[in-house]
Amino acid sequence: MRRIFFTIIIVSSFVNIYGQTRSELEEQRKKTLEEITYVDNLLKNTEKQKSESLNSLRILGNKVNLRESIISGMGQEISMLNERIDINRIAIDMMETDLQELKEEYSRTIINSYKSKKINPEIVYILSARDFNQGYKRLKYLQQISKFRRNESEAILELKAEIEGTKERLENDLERISDLQHKEVQQKELLQSEEKRKQKAVKNLGNKEKQLKKELEDKKIVAERIEKAIARIIEEDRKKSINNELTPEQKLIGEDFSTNKGRLPWPVEKGIITNHFGVHRHPVLKYVTENNFGIEITSAGKTAARSIFKGEVTAITAISGANMTVIIKHGSYLSVYTNLVNVKVKKGDKVDTKQVIGEVYQDPSANYNSTIKFMIFEKQYLDPELWIAKN
C-alpha cells in the first residue's frame, strides 16, 4: 500500500510542477509572438524604403533572435513532455502491478472469509468465547477484517482511477508533442527564411561600405557631443557645491534609483532594442567595432519619451545630428534621452516616473519609425539594459 501512494504522490507532484512550468513557457511564448508581430510592423515600414538601412538590419536581427527564442522554448517543452511521458509509463507499470497484487490479495481474503463463515459463522465465533472479554476482542477482530476489506476495495477503485487518469495524461502529452513538433517545423521554416533575408541585407549593405563608415563616424561625433554635455553638467554641479555633496533629498532619490535596478520602466512605452551597450562588432563592416555608451530603442510611428524615474531636469541641449537631448538627475545618477523633438519640460523641472518629457524624432527616411538613444551615467556610463525592466 505504501508503494501505491508513494507512486501516486510522485506522479501528482510532477504533474503540478510541469503544469506551472508549461504555463510559464506558454506565457513567454505568447509575449515573444506579440513582440515578433510588433517587429513585423517595423519591418513592413522599412520595406517601403528603396534601400536597406543598418537599423532595418538590426530590426531583422532582433526578429531572428526572437524566433530562435520561440524554437528553443518549444524544444524545452517537448523535452519536459517526454520526461513526463517516461515517468507516467513507469508509474502505470508500477500501479498495474500493484493493482494485480491487490486484486489477488482481496480475492484470497474474500475466499478465506467465505470458508470461515461456512465452517464457523461470525455469531457462533463470538458466542463461543470463554468469557465476555474474549468475545469483545473477537468482535473487534471481525470489525477490523471488515474494515480491511473495505479499504482494499477502495484502494483498488482509487488505483484504477489513477491508472486511467495517468493514461489519459499520457495520451494528451503525446498529442501535445505532435502539435508542438508541427509548430516547431513551421517556426524553423520561418527562421530559415528570415536568416536568408538577413544575409541578403548584409550583402546589400556590404556594397555601401563608404556610406556605412560615414554613418559610423557621424555617430562617434554625436557621442562626443553628448559626452561633453554630461561633463559640463558634472562640472556645473561641482561648482555649485564646495564639498560636491548631494542634498539629503538628492541622496534619497539616488538610493531609491539604485534600489530599483532591473525594475525601472523603459524610456518609451513600446519598442525593441536595436543597438546594445558597449563594444561590439559592426553588423556589416569587417574588423570594425562600435563603442556604444547607451542603447538605441526603435519604435513604430509617433512615440513619447518618458522619464524612467523621478528626478530633476538638469539640462536640455540641442546636439547636431541628434536633435534635442534631455538629461535628468536622480541623485548621483543621470539618465540621458537623445533624439527628441517637441520637448515638454524645461531645466529645473521636477519630473515623476513615466512623465512624458518629449517626443522621439520620427525619421522620414525610415518610414517615420522612431529611435531614441538612451544612456545612464554615474561616474561612468552604465549598461541601461541592466537597469530597465525586462520587456
Side-chain angles (χ1 to χ4, degrees):
M1 287 291 287
R2 285 183 180 179
R3 194 178 83 164
I4 295 169
F5 292 112
F6 180 68
T7 305
I8 292 172
I9 288 168
I10 288 177
V11 172
S12 300
S13 299
F14 188 83
V15 167
N16 291 335
I17 292 168
Y18 171 76
Q20 291 173 350
T21 309
R22 178 180 169 183
S23 63
E24 289 168 4
L25 286 169
E26 286 180 341
E27 182 63 26
Q28 182 60 45
R29 184 155 58 245
K30 181 184 174 184
K31 287 181 179 178
T32 306
L33 285 169
E34 287 174 356
E35 198 166 348
I36 284 178
T37 301
Y38 185 81
V39 173
D40 274 335
N41 290 332
L42 289 173
L43 286 171
K44 283 175 185 176
N45 287 343
T46 59
E47 280 175 354
K48 296 175 185 178
Q49 296 172 241
K50 293 182 179 179
S51 60
E52 299 281 358
S53 71
L54 199 58
N55 204 48
S56 66
L57 174 62
R58 286 181 170 133
I59 293 170
L60 188 54
N62 188 287
K63 186 179 179 183
V64 167
N65 292 338
L66 290 170
R67 190 76 67 191
E68 288 173 342
S69 171
I70 287 177
I71 293 169
S72 174
M74 285 180 170
Q76 187 179 347
E77 188 172 349
I78 288 170
S79 176
M80 291 178 63
L81 281 165
N82 280 322
E83 286 179 20
R84 188 166 84 164
I85 285 169
D86 290 341
I87 287 177
N88 280 337
R89 281 175 174 157
I90 292 169
I92 288 169
D93 288 342
M94 291 174 66
M95 287 189 289
E96 285 181 337
T97 301
D98 288 339
L99 180 62
Q100 185 61 33
E101 290 176 0
L102 269 176
K103 284 180 177 178
E104 290 172 359
E105 186 179 344
Y106 186 68
S107 177
R108 285 194 298 271
T109 304
I110 294 298
I111 291 170
N112 291 336
S113 176
Y114 174 75
K115 288 179 179 178
S116 175
K117 282 182 179 179
K118 194 172 182 180
I119 296 170
N120 193 10
E122 290 180 358
I123 188 67
V124 175
Y125 176 64
I126 295 169
L127 294 175
S128 63
R130 65 173 176 269
D131 54 35
F132 178 79
N133 189 44
Q134 188 184 53
Y136 178 74
K137 287 181 178 179
R138 287 185 177 185
L139 175 63
K140 297 302 291 182
Y141 169 70
L142 291 172
Q143 288 175 344
Q144 287 174 355
I145 289 176
S146 178
K147 184 179 179 181
F148 172 76
R149 288 191 205 125
R150 285 198 304 273
N151 289 343
E152 289 280 284
S153 176
E154 289 170 3
I156 288 170
L157 292 173
E158 183 181 342
L159 196 51
K160 276 184 176 179
E162 187 63 35
I163 289 171
E164 290 304 313
T166 305
K167 284 182 176 179
E168 186 179 345
R169 285 195 296 271
L170 192 146
E171 290 300 318
N172 289 338
D173 287 348
L174 288 169
E175 288 178 11
R176 178 66 181 163
I177 284 179
S178 177
D179 180 56
L180 278 170
Q181 287 173 335
H182 176 68
K183 289 179 178 177
E184 188 181 35
V185 169
Q186 291 178 326
Q187 292 295 324
K188 285 180 178 178
E189 288 174 353
L190 289 169
L191 176 63
Q192 190 176 21
S193 172
E194 287 157 2
E195 283 180 334
K196 284 181 180 178
R197 183 179 169 187
K198 182 182 174 183
Q199 289 168 6
K200 184 181 176 182
V202 171
K203 185 178 178 181
N204 290 340
L205 285 167
N207 297 325
K208 303 175 182 177
E209 186 173 337
K210 187 176 180 180
Q211 178 186 329
L212 291 175
K213 284 183 177 179
K214 185 181 183 305
E215 288 178 3
L216 187 60
E217 191 59 37
D218 289 343
K219 285 185 74 172
K220 286 180 181 177
I221 293 170
V222 170
E224 288 172 2
R225 289 170 181 161
I226 296 170
E227 278 189 270
K228 287 179 181 177
I230 291 174
R232 186 172 63 250
I233 291 165
I234 293 170
E235 180 61 21
E236 287 174 359
D237 281 350
R238 189 188 66 79
K239 289 178 179 178
K240 285 179 186 176
S241 175
I242 299 173
N243 298 321
N244 198 26
E245 292 181 355
L246 298 172
T247 65
E249 182 186 7
Q250 289 172 333
K251 283 182 180 178
L252 185 60
I253 291 173
E255 287 170 3
D256 287 346
F257 187 92
S258 179
T259 303
N260 282 280
K261 183 178 180 179
R263 299 196 301 268
L264 295 168
W266 282 41
V268 291
E269 186 175 355
K270 186 73 175 174
I272 61 167
I273 296 173
T274 46
N275 205 359
H276 298 274
F277 176 85
V279 179
H280 46 80
R281 288 177 57 187
H282 193 278
V284 178
L285 299 174
K286 292 181 180 180
Y287 315 115
V288 175
T289 58
E290 293 182 85
N291 188 12
N292 197 359
F293 294 123
I295 60 174
E296 292 173 19
I297 303 173
T298 299
S299 307
K302 187 176 180 180
T303 304
R306 56 190 193 173
S307 174
I308 61 165
F309 201 71
K310 60 187 177 182
E312 180 182 341
V313 178
T314 191
I316 300 172
T317 181
I319 295 177
S320 178
N323 294 297
M324 301 296 293
T325 293
V326 175
I327 301 175
I328 300 175
K329 187 172 183 179
H330 317 277
S332 60
Y333 294 86
L334 298 174
S335 60
V336 184
Y337 312 76
T338 295
N339 202 29
L340 305 188
V341 293
N342 299 328
V343 174
K344 302 184 184 301
V345 292
K346 61 184 184 298
K347 184 177 178 180
D349 282 356
K350 297 289 178 65
V351 294
D352 291 323
T353 304
K354 292 187 179 181
Q355 181 175 328
V356 174
I357 58 174
E359 295 174 9
V360 185
Y361 173 69
Q362 291 182 259
D363 189 355
S365 65
N367 205 55
Y368 297 96
N369 284 337
S370 309
T371 299
I372 185 173
K373 176 78 175 275
F374 174 65
M375 290 166 280
I376 295 177
F377 184 90
E378 203 263 347
K379 296 181 182 177
Q380 61 181 351
Y381 291 98
L382 306 173
D383 185 353
E385 286 186 65
L386 301 178
W387 289 80
I388 57 177
K390 300 296 180 187
N391 232 2

